[in-house]
Amino acid sequence: MLVMTNHGTILGWNSGELIQITDPNDSRAVRFDEVEIEVDKIFSGGPLHGFQIKTVGRGVGFLNDEGYLSASGDRVNVETGRTAMAGWETFSFVSDDSLSSFTKSTSDPEAEMNRFRRKVLSLIEAGQPVKIYPGCGYAPRDGFLNLDIVCMQPNYMLEKPDNYFIFPFVCKWDIPDNCVDYIFTEDFMEHVSQLMQWQFLTETRRVLKSGSWQRVNTPDIIWSMKNRSDFSRGFDGVYTGELEYEHIAILSHLQLKEIAQTIGYKEIIFTTHSHGVSEYSEADIRPGPDRDKIGGNIYADLKK
């Protein structure tokens, strides 16, 4: 069994240091027999000497006296000493066959789009609701077809590949008109350009059934500027921190309403956190601690 990080690299061991590698056939890859893997076990010897296996959501974490092992996406070396468990501190034990299947899913967008289409058609044929969660990030949801451009939850992909698809989803979806029951996004819209926002909301309206809803949970540019800028300082006082989160085009309530109305949505309802109007709505996870839950995000339900 190999150890995979939460962003798809493999745990390796090189000259006495834990590192991240990309090739499972690399001689530096850390491997374990299945009999060695059990929750709360403390390794004695080997690359993970002194680390204890802990459960973390759908994956595992490794804890020693210094803290949790952490594999960030921007470093080769694996660090320890983290006091909390999150995405970078989450790992999974995977077989070579499972890793091969995972690698194929994350490296062939055309095949993934076809797999997504087949899944939608199978749900329609079975008379089951089609619920889609584009930009699922670290929190894919059961009962949804989770879409993203990169796999940020390998453990979920390994457990439930039929619910997780990796391709550039701001595109034309090869599925019929009027076939989707619900679409949900949160903290996604701000990461694409204004043109792509129009393209996405137009395509999602095409595939939604008449009378069905799309929920949009996204940061509010007015709240951000009003609460984080000092306009009395002129140019230098305008808040630029949104760029740190790779936010490209952040909407206001009025902008989102005018875009949706222009595209042809019949009704736009602004609600509050975790109060979507669709029968299929679920609790919102975002925003995170960087933004006020009440005013920092827009919560909008768009009806076709």
Side-chain angles (χ1 to χ4, degrees), residues 125-237:
E125 185 176 359
Q128 298 177 9
V130 178
K131 302 182 292 180
I132 304 177
Y133 184 13
C136 60
Y138 287 111
R141 294 174 181 248
D142 292 343
F144 283 76
L145 305 186
N146 300 278
L147 312 182
D148 220 326
I149 59 173
V150 294
C151 181
M152 302 176 76
Q153 269 291 6
N155 292 299
Y156 195 91
M157 170 68 84
L158 292 167
E159 286 181 22
K160 301 183 178 181
D162 286 347
N163 291 353
Y164 204 169
F165 308 86
I166 307 299
F167 64 92
F169 58 83
V170 182
C171 63
K172 180 175 175 57
W173 294 353
D174 187 18
I175 59 177
D177 296 354
N178 309 305
C179 70
V180 174
D181 296 271
Y182 185 58
I183 297 174
F184 171 65
T185 67
E186 56 179 351
D187 278 14
F188 151 68
M189 295 289 287
E190 68 276 12
H191 289 284
V192 299
S193 68
Q194 185 182 69
L195 173 60
M196 293 177 76
Q197 290 172 351
W198 281 79
Q199 291 172 320
F200 177 78
L201 291 175
T202 301
E203 181 66 1
T204 51
R205 180 185 176 277
R206 176 185 73 80
V207 301
L208 277 170
K209 293 178 180 177
S210 180
S212 292
W213 296 89
Q214 172 167 197
R215 182 164 176 83
V216 176
N217 172 351
T218 188
D220 178 7
I221 188 61
I222 301 300
W223 180 92
S224 183
M225 288 301 175
K226 183 182 293 185
N227 287 275
R228 293 171 170 171
S229 296
D230 181 359
F231 298 121
S232 66
R233 296 174 53 214
F235 184 92
D236 291 336

